[in-house]
Amino acid sequence: MVTVDGMALGRDYATQECSIARALEVVGERWTLLVIRDALYGVRRYNDFLVHLGIPRAVLAARLQTLTAEGILDKRRYQESPPRDEYVITDRGIALWPTLRSLGLWGREHFGEAPLRTFQHSVCGTELGTYGECPTCATAVPVEDVVMVPGPGLDPDPADPISRILLKPKRLLEPIEQPAAADPV
Amino acid sequence: MVTVDGMALGRDYATQECSIARALEVVGERWTLLVIRDALYGVRRYNDFLVHLGIPRAVLAARLQTLTAEGILDKRRYQESPPRDEYVITDRGIALWPTLRSLGLWGREHFGEAPLRTFQHSVCGTELGTYGECPTCATAVPVEDVVMVPGPGLDPDPADPISRILLKPKRLLEPIEQPAAADPV
DNA sequence: GAAGCTGATTCAATGAATGAACCTAGGGTG
DNA sequence: CACCCTAGGTTCATTCATTGAATCAGCTTC
């Protein structure tokens, strides 16, 4: 019975007086930032996260709950019969875009061979800078004005349906289109 | 086959074709980003990381080894007798500054009460923007021109000596001054 | 030669992640 | 009604990572 309410010593970064440590307590767990990335891409449903991330179900359920509790995702009912919920990213989650943008750019520059996806300003088509700004327009670009454009490094025939949908250019935050009916090729 | 040897399936984010996932495979483990943060603050020695982070020794050793192998830290000898090594952040590690800056700002804005530290452009004193740029000078600020200034939210009498040194304003990357001799109060 | 500093490694106990199986509630079809 | 399907989970045994304490090794100073 070593239970301590909230956060126990040794399990978090409690001794760190630092906003970075604070942030990492919220989004620093395994899978969490990838869930937020997917939410920015427009993924909203349990099953879509599941197949796109290849995450264990138990971990996904735990992360969705934590992120909802932290105000990063918003769990909302999108149909009543049968009752179905979706997880929509909030402003607090959207505010992580500069972090994810710069992290992705770092990964691409230092570890990527071919650019997998580029992110462009929908107004002018310029690729975004390090933190998600537009070098051409010299302004911060609202996340809803960012277009994700798949690059040549992507697998042209991925296994899961969400990756297949993400092969087409797409605005961030825009919900991914659900396949209307089973219509096998 | 996107497999990179050294990473086993299921333990990493191998199925993710994404630069963010790639980056998180390198810096996404527990403690790793805090080690890099400390390295940016000028921490270089095993013992300084140890006492400042409150990290288990085994984990610190593992992280330092991984980060050195990934080219984020550079292990170099700083004295021969007795042989002593220090871990100095590389350009690849410095390139993570925008990520850490935006993550810290997010943590402060959404979870922090009082600003713990501010980061200013040494040339003009302006607080940096989201990704570490200077709004006044309208330029990207090299990390060595960033001054970390402690804020009012910090514990004025922290336990470990590194935190005590970090109570004074200090340029990033500049190595922390080692206490010359034991001089107890 | 005893003690100290630095930079580690080893080890038992705990906690988290994984993957497979199972569960629930509501629909749709025959 | 029986049956299968889908969406969104929970449960559980196994594996893996983290933790904190103890120990170690090289070198120096007293």
Side-chain angles (χ1 to χ4, degrees):
Chain A
M1 307 299 169
V2 202
T3 48
V4 180
D5 55 338
M7 296 273 192
L9 272 155
R11 262 203 291 287
D12 57 13
Y13 303 120
T15 61
Q16 295 298 309
E17 287 190 300
C18 172
S19 302
I20 296 171
R22 198 69 176 276
L24 286 172
E25 284 180 6
V26 180
V27 299
E29 286 182 301
R30 191 156 158 66
W31 293 109
T32 300
L33 280 174
L34 292 183
V35 171
I36 295 170
R37 176 206 64 180
D38 268 21
L40 282 166
Y41 285 180
V43 176
R44 294 184 168 190
R45 298 189 187 176
Y46 182 93
N47 235 289
D48 293 346
F49 285 110
L50 196 72
V51 298
H52 188 231
L53 291 172
I55 183 178
R57 307 178 83 91
V59 178
L60 176 60
R63 295 294 181 274
L64 291 176
Q65 212 179 333
T66 302
L67 288 172
T68 303
E70 296 287 2
I72 292 166
L73 297 179
D74 182 29
K75 183 176 186 173
R76 66 169 70 145
R77 182 134 309 179
Y78 67 87
Q79 72 178 29
E80 286 297 338
S81 174
R84 291 282 181 268
D85 296 320
E86 60 185 1
Y87 296 87
V88 183
I89 195 161
T90 63
D91 287 344
R92 177 174 284 183
I94 292 172
L96 278 168
W97 166 242
T99 302
L100 286 171
R101 168 62 184 162
S102 55
L103 186 62
L105 208 53
W106 181 83
R108 185 176 103 187
E109 280 173 5
H110 293 276
F111 298 96
E113 299 90 23
L116 297 172
R117 296 174 224 272
T118 56
F119 295 88
Q120 307 176 355
H121 190 190
S122 65
V123 173
C124 65
T126 313
E127 184 176 4
L128 301 184
T130 309
Y131 68 108
E133 87 287 7
C134 179
T136 301
C137 306
T139 52
V141 176
V143 177
E144 57 267 23
D145 291 343
V146 175
V147 179
M148 189 274 288
V149 181
L154 284 177
D155 178 0
D157 189 27
D160 71 284
I162 304 303
S163 293
R164 228 169 295 141
I165 289 172
L166 292 178
L167 286 177
K168 280 184 278 193
K170 184 184 162 310
R171 267 175 196 259
L172 294 191
L173 302 185
E174 189 185 46
I176 61 164
E177 51 200 89
Q178 294 296 325
D183 198 37
V185 182
Chain B
M1 288 302 164
V2 201
T3 48
V4 181
D5 55 343
M7 297 274 191
L9 272 154
R11 262 200 293 286
D12 58 11
Y13 303 119
T15 61
Q16 294 299 306
E17 288 189 300
C18 173
S19 303
I20 296 171
R22 198 69 176 275
L24 287 173
E25 284 180 6
V26 180
V27 299
E29 285 182 300
R30 190 157 159 65
W31 293 109
T32 299
L33 280 174
L34 292 183
V35 171
I36 295 171
R37 176 207 63 180
D38 268 21
L40 282 166
Y41 284 1
V43 177
R44 294 183 168 190
R45 299 190 186 175
Y46 182 93
N47 235 288
D48 293 346
F49 284 111
L50 196 72
V51 300
H52 187 230
L53 291 171
I55 182 177
R57 306 177 87 90
V59 177
L60 177 60
R63 295 294 181 276
L64 291 175
Q65 213 179 331
T66 303
L67 288 172
T68 303
E70 296 286 2
I72 292 164
L73 298 179
D74 182 29
K75 183 177 187 172
R76 65 169 73 144
R77 183 135 307 182
Y78 67 87
Q79 72 178 30
E80 285 297 336
S81 174
R84 292 283 180 267
D85 297 321
E86 60 185 3
Y87 296 88
V88 183
I89 195 162
T90 64
D91 287 344
R92 179 175 282 184
I94 293 173
L96 277 168
W97 167 242
T99 302
L100 285 171
R101 169 61 184 160
S102 56
L103 186 62
L105 208 53
W106 181 82
R108 185 176 104 185
E109 281 174 3
H110 293 276
F111 299 96
E113 299 89 21
L116 297 172
R117 297 174 223 271
T118 57
F119 294 89
Q120 306 176 355
H121 190 191
S122 64
V123 173
C124 65
T126 314
E127 183 175 3
L128 302 184
T130 310
Y131 69 108
E133 88 288 6
C134 178
T136 301
C137 307
T139 52
V141 176
V143 177
E144 57 267 23
D145 290 344
V146 174
V147 179
M148 188 272 289
V149 181
L154 284 178
D155 177 1
D157 188 28
D160 71 285
I162 305 302
S163 293
R164 229 170 294 139
I165 290 172
L166 292 178
L167 285 177
K168 280 184 278 192
K170 185 184 162 309
R171 266 175 198 259
L172 294 192
L173 302 184
E174 190 183 44
I176 60 164
E177 52 200 270
Q178 294 296 325
D183 197 41
V185 183

